[in-house]
Amino acid sequence: MISAGIDIGSRSIEIAVLENGTILETRKSDTGFDPIGQAGKLLHDLKFDSIMATGYGRTLFEIEQDAPTVTEIKAHARGALYFFPEARTVLDIGGQDSKVISMDPSGKVSRFEMNDRCAAGTGKFLEIMATALGFSIDTLGDEAMEAEKDLIINSMCTVFAESEVTSLMARGENPREIAKGLHMAVVKRAASMLRRVSAEGPVVFTGGVANNPCIARLLAREIKREIWIPDNPEMNGAVGAALIAAENCTFH
Amino acid sequence: MKEELLKKLQQITEQNLLDIEAHKEKGNHAIGFYCLYAPTELAVAADAIPLPLCGTRQAPIEAAEEVLPRNLCPLIKSSYGFAATDTCPFFKFSDIIVADTTCDGKKKMFEIMNDIKPVHVLQLPQNQDTLISLPPWKAEIEKLITVLEKRTDRPITTEKIKNAISLMNRERRAKKRLMDVTKAKPSPLTGMELVEILFKTGFFADKEKGIDLMNEISDLCHKLIEGRESPYTDKTPRILMTGVPVGLGSDKVVKVIEQCGANVVAFENCSGYKQTFQVDETKDPIMALAEQYLSIPCSVMSPNQGRMDMLKEMITEFSVDGVVDLTWQACHTYNIESFHVSKLVQDTFGLPFLHLETDYSESDTEQLRVRIQAFLEMI
Ligand code: SF4
Ligand code: SF4
């Protein structure tokens, strides 16, 4: 049977279509101002037997399409287990939120923590800082890895960090070093969330920010744990939702 | 049938303001209380109506923020806001306010509230050691007696205190009996209904009316239990809510939990199960009051082992599937205490635990919903 998962985030929408545990297709677009319209466009020519929605737009989708939903917590736990069957801990840093999930050996969520109230420590934070530094978001991580010395950024709040960056630039600091300092700020935040929720073992790192090589490297160094990143880290929630859709189906 | 009783509750609530007015017109008094620590028995012993004043609504908070800092617990801001805007009829009726030095925010707020209406503040010890804390606390209660005697112009005799204790014990027994009906699986009441009943009966001018009504509701619930009538099934997740007080207007977390398909069966907080104690009727009444009220397990006490004991008992007795610990924003004592509560729930009982920090506004409902749904998925 073919099942689909749709992850409607505040910044982007991802869709994954799976057949018997194999990913057939994935799709992605920006959420824009009309999440349901965008979701419809992405879905319109796809064929599947069942679908499950997750992400902050899941309830809207549930109403519009009469589809079942699952929280992004459970979806990410399930997705991580698909890519790494040994996984017990997930760190997801998306466009506008971050979360840490710890699960028991059966994949059941046992603890989680979520930050979705402010942009601090999320993809949005890095995007705004890239603009302030004059880098492209796609190369920000590579630039930061070129830094020669460590520079500490004190502000976690996006607004304050932006003005801290401006004053560091005015002082003539190297933008790459500032960039590295900003990455470190994101990593510290993620690390303290990780320590609270899960004490040890490898960490599956998902979400768009997992594509940033500098974050992954600094994080491994900071928490001294293995970091596992799936090929398409932003698809993790959608894949998890598709798997749950398949598992929930009674006719298989 | 349940609807009829809830209608009756509403009728008495509407009639209640007139009852208080009538009582006052006869030359009697009303006394406003914040927190659980001050013995309401003493008001009753002075023929006065005790009125619980803790603010549970968002509306007056904006006005409060003209005077108080924004990053303060909403309960404190709401309480002050009602007083400052003169929009709470119960505050208006109160001839004097009795408060205690519980948390920092509250006690400093009372200093400002005193400009609006006289607030008598009891110095509450922050520890329940009977040797060290009981004597000064008993002295505070004795002082309160003189203050109330003077304000109401009624002698508060030992006899009257004894009668008041036995009346309030009866009220607390009725309340406990009501709160215990949700031990049944599935429960005949929703958490929202329980919040509404506890909240509204709290203001009743006529204690007997309140006791009768609570007993009537409990009787009905026992019939419903026998007939296995319930809004829920055996599979409905049963949630215990602990932490800060919850009333009408500050019940959004209860609402979301129940919208997500679970049932809040018990409240370990000062609007719920913390009110179920009994004052010893065999002892010297003032001593008995002092002892019993000092032992209330609010997070302002350090240490606060009593709360852990109460939680242990309730988790088992109410057969709960998970615990939600609610903290009002900027409430340090409950926020920090959550660490030990989480350990107890997760490590000792192996149950899912969710700590939520929020305020009275509706702005974060969706963020709460996703956490609550994820928490329920863990059950
Ligand atoms: S929780 Fe403690 S401080 Fe807060 S209202 Fe209740 S008794 Fe007072
Ligand atoms: S909820 Fe916390 S901060 Fe607010 S009044 Fe009660 S103890 Fe104080």
Side-chain angles (χ1 to χ4, degrees), chain A residues 166-186:
Chain A
T166 314
S167 55
L168 287 169
M169 299 265 277
R171 234 168 57 193
E173 295 288 354
N174 183 327
R176 289 178 170 152
E177 278 148 16
I178 302 176
K180 188 177 174 195
L182 289 164
H183 282 70
M184 205 53 217
V186 172

Side-chain angles (χ1 to χ4, degrees), chain B residues 35-37 54 75 102-103 106 245 270 298 300 334:
Chain B
C35 292
L36 271 192
Y37 284 99
C54 275
L75 189 154
T102 48
C103 63
K106 251 190 172 169
C270 69
C298 164
V300 298
Y334 276 103

Side-chain angles (χ1 to χ4, degrees), chain B residues 22-298:
Chain B
H23 180 82
K24 288 199 66 170
E25 262 161 24
K26 279 185 231 143
N28 296 315
H29 299 83
I31 294 161
F33 284 85
Y34 290 97
C35 292
L36 271 192
Y37 284 99
T40 43
E41 278 87 348
L42 298 179
V44 174
D47 307 325
I49 303 170
L51 295 169
L53 296 181
C54 275
T56 59
R57 307 229 182 231
Q58 170 73 17
I61 286 186
E62 208 185 310
E65 285 172 349
E66 287 170 20
V67 174
L68 298 171
R70 278 182 59 96
N71 62 339
L72 188 66
C73 153
L75 189 154
I76 303 176
K77 287 191 285 190
S78 176
S79 300
Y80 178 78
F82 269 125
T85 54
D86 202 14
T87 43
C88 169
F90 302 108
F91 186 87
K92 220 179 284 187
F93 281 134
S94 300
D95 297 291
I96 182 173
I97 309 293
V98 179
D100 343 68
T101 54
T102 48
C103 63
D104 285 355
K106 251 190 172 169
K107 71 183 177 206
K108 298 308 283 184
M109 178 275 280
F110 292 134
E111 293 173 13
I112 307 180
M113 184 183 272
N114 192 46
D115 298 343
I116 303 171
K117 200 171 255 194
V119 182
H120 177 76
V121 181
L122 309 179
Q123 297 295 317
L124 177 73
Q126 308 268 292
N127 162 300
Q128 293 152 323
D129 185 311
T130 36
L131 254 159
I132 296 164
S133 300
L134 193 57
W137 178 238
K138 186 169 171 252
E140 281 295 336
I141 289 180
E142 279 156 353
K143 191 159 110 199
L144 176 62
I145 294 179
T146 358
V147 169
L148 292 182
E149 279 182 326
K150 205 160 141 215
R151 187 67 192 84
T152 59
D153 211 9
R154 306 281 155 93
I156 300 182
T157 61
T158 311
E159 212 35 51
K160 289 188 100 172
I161 300 178
K162 278 190 170 166
N163 291 340
I165 290 177
S166 104
L167 174 66
M168 297 309 278
N169 271 348
R170 275 206 292 129
E171 184 190 53
R172 283 183 292 253
R173 277 201 296 275
K175 221 176 246 183
K176 177 163 192 305
R177 183 167 170 243
L178 174 67
M179 286 191 249
D180 282 344
V181 302
T182 52
K183 283 183 182 170
K185 196 173 171 174
S187 142
L189 286 181
T190 69
M192 286 299 288
E193 284 166 342
L194 198 55
V195 168
E196 183 185 345
I197 299 165
L198 291 171
F199 185 80
K200 289 185 172 166
T201 47
F203 297 104
F204 281 8
D206 185 344
K207 291 282 163 207
E208 296 291 354
K209 257 194 209 171
I211 295 172
D212 287 347
L213 185 65
M214 282 190 273
N215 279 330
E216 227 179 300
I217 298 174
S218 303
D219 290 341
L220 171 74
C221 286
H222 284 289
K223 274 202 206 99
L224 293 176
I225 294 168
E226 265 168 47
R228 290 195 57 82
E229 277 179 67
S230 162
Y232 305 108
T233 70
D234 284 346
K235 295 213 170 53
T236 306
R238 300 165 60 83
I239 307 304
L240 179 139
M241 193 153 165
T242 180
V244 295
V246 168
L248 288 188
S250 63
D251 48 7
K252 68 172 180 188
V253 174
V254 185
K255 215 179 280 169
V256 177
I257 294 176
E258 299 205 322
Q259 280 167 357
C260 293
N263 175 206
V264 181
V265 290
F267 294 89
E268 187 285 314
N269 57 23
C270 69
S271 48
Y273 228 65
K274 281 188 178 127
Q275 294 187 25
T276 56
F277 58 84
Q278 289 285 296
V279 176
D280 193 334
E281 294 185 33
T282 61
K283 282 190 180 162
D284 161 61
I286 295 177
M287 193 53 163
L289 284 175
E291 274 177 7
Q292 192 52 53
Y293 278 87
L294 183 65
S295 70
I296 291 171
C298 164

